[in-house]
Amino acid sequence: MERIPILKMGQVLLVTIQIDLYDRLALSLESDLVQMVKKTSAKGVLIDISAVSIVDSFLGRIFGNIASMCKILDAETVVVGMQPAVAITLIELGLPLTGVHTALDVEKGMILLNSNIETDVDTTDDLNEDDNYAF
Amino acid sequence: MIITLFKVSMRIERDQDVVPFRNRVKEYAVKIKMGIVNQTKLITAASELVRNMLKYAKGGEALIEIVTQGRYNGVRLSFKDQGSGISDIDLAMKDGYSTEKSLGLGLPGAKRLVDDFNIISNVGHGTTVVVIKWANG
């Protein structure tokens, strides 16, 4: 069966969707991604949709699901490279993709994810220091 | 008066039929020089309607037509199924209403994306949805 490849780059999983997804492929991407997050302890997921010409309510819901599921597993999701026509259509359709981070391109998405991962590390450090003070 | 210049019909039976159908719609939208934003809106609406047909009526017939009215060219799509029909169309056209576990955006969303939207449903006999998107609408 056809599958969308998931690449691991440091703490981030990178997915580039190069074809128009049919339903079953989108659903298997969803479960593959969530399992990969667990397996690789990834802190971020970056989905590049620059080659996707259509995002309908089904695919929009899949992106929302992926973001919520990864969030529970402590990973942030960023969708990057959306075409302007797709953004216009999504809003008119009534699907604002709430809960999904977006960035203009892969590079900006990576910066966003890395800054999130770094702040996470910082806050943990702060907590540890507080602990030390208590003792 | 709307005149049909060209038509092609496709059977939609499985979810794998959705992408080829969308590609055909795109092909005809490109033929009449529809802009990229209108193309995207039309194909997204088509995708929503075809998905409805699969989900609620286990498939049906989709007709793609190139139509002309005066100086305007457009794409008309008709979706005809033999499903159980919709008993309350006003309710079905409401944002967020769904009898299945979905977002309930299909019908109202598709209506917002096209220039002309018509739905006829007979309970027990099926539903027909006809939409038009003009190339420069």
Side-chain angles (χ1 to χ4, degrees):
Chain A
M1 200 183 120
E2 236 183 322
R3 279 209 133 77
I4 306 284
I6 302 171
L7 310 174
K8 185 176 181 296
M9 276 183 67
Q11 288 182 289
V12 174
L13 296 180
L14 178 66
V15 181
T16 306
I17 302 175
Q18 301 278 3
I19 51 164
D20 278 326
L21 294 174
Y22 54 88
D23 298 14
R24 215 162 302 159
L25 200 54
L27 286 169
S28 64
L29 173 68
E30 179 187 283
S31 62
D32 287 355
L33 249 180
V34 176
Q35 271 160 33
M36 273 290 269
V37 166
K38 165 74 184 156
K39 211 159 82 187
T40 62
S41 328
K43 284 286 177 192
V45 173
L46 193 132
I47 305 174
D48 174 28
I49 58 163
S50 53
V52 175
S53 56
I54 299 295
V55 177
D56 59 8
S57 65
F58 178 81
L59 194 51
R61 192 171 55 153
I62 294 282
F63 290 149
N65 284 353
I66 290 174
S68 324
M69 290 169 184
C70 293
K71 182 82 206 164
I72 307 176
L73 296 177
D74 196 26
E76 292 290 332
T77 304
V78 183
V79 171
V80 304
M82 186 184 292
Q83 290 174 18
V86 172
I88 294 171
T89 305
L90 269 181
I91 296 305
E92 262 186 45
L93 184 65
L95 199 77
L97 282 189
T98 33
V100 183
H101 295 295
T102 50
L104 267 190
D105 52 37
V106 175
E107 204 177 349
K108 293 198 172 75
M110 273 298 188
I111 294 171
L112 181 67
L113 276 179
N114 283 330
S115 70
N116 278 350
I117 292 167
E118 274 160 30
T119 25
D120 268 9
V121 173
D122 285 350
T123 25
T124 351
D125 283 354
D126 287 349
L127 283 177
N128 289 340
E129 276 166 30
D130 287 349
D131 284 351
N132 290 340
Y133 265 103
F135 280 109
Chain B
M1 197 179 68
I2 295 176
I3 303 161
T4 303
L5 298 178
F6 181 86
K7 67 174 159 188
V8 62
S9 113
M10 279 177 87
R11 280 293 306 168
I12 308 289
E13 271 153 5
R14 304 168 305 156
D15 68 347
Q16 282 96 320
D17 296 338
V18 174
V19 173
F21 171 71
R22 289 198 315 216
N23 292 342
R24 288 303 277 279
V25 174
K26 190 185 173 92
E27 207 177 287
Y28 294 114
V30 168
K31 245 181 211 166
I32 59 163
K33 299 193 173 63
M34 190 180 278
I36 183 78
V37 173
N38 280 344
Q39 256 182 52
T40 309
K41 287 181 183 177
L42 173 69
I43 300 164
T44 307
S47 186
E48 298 290 338
L49 295 170
V50 124
R51 209 182 285 290
N52 271 354
M53 203 159 74
L54 279 170
K55 193 160 59 178
Y56 297 102
K58 296 187 177 66
E61 195 84 30
L63 182 69
I64 311 170
E65 290 171 286
I66 294 181
V67 293
T68 174
Q69 186 179 39
R71 290 184 296 125
Y72 300 106
N73 290 327
V75 173
R76 177 161 67 190
L77 304 174
S78 312
F79 303 87
K80 197 173 182 181
D81 69 52
Q82 261 94 44
S84 52
I86 303 168
S87 54
D88 189 341
I89 287 183
D90 288 340
L91 190 59
M93 291 303 297
K94 256 197 193 135
D95 266 317
Y97 175 80
S98 177
T99 53
E100 297 273 326
K101 277 199 314 193
S102 71
L103 297 172
L105 287 174
L107 285 177
K111 186 178 180 180
R112 281 191 292 269
L113 293 173
V114 295
D115 298 316
D116 195 69
F117 184 98
N118 255 303
I119 179 165
I120 302 165
S121 190
N122 287 320
V123 176
H125 291 93
T127 306
T128 303
V129 181
V130 181
V131 302
I132 300 180
K133 186 89 190 161
W134 300 108
N136 37 11

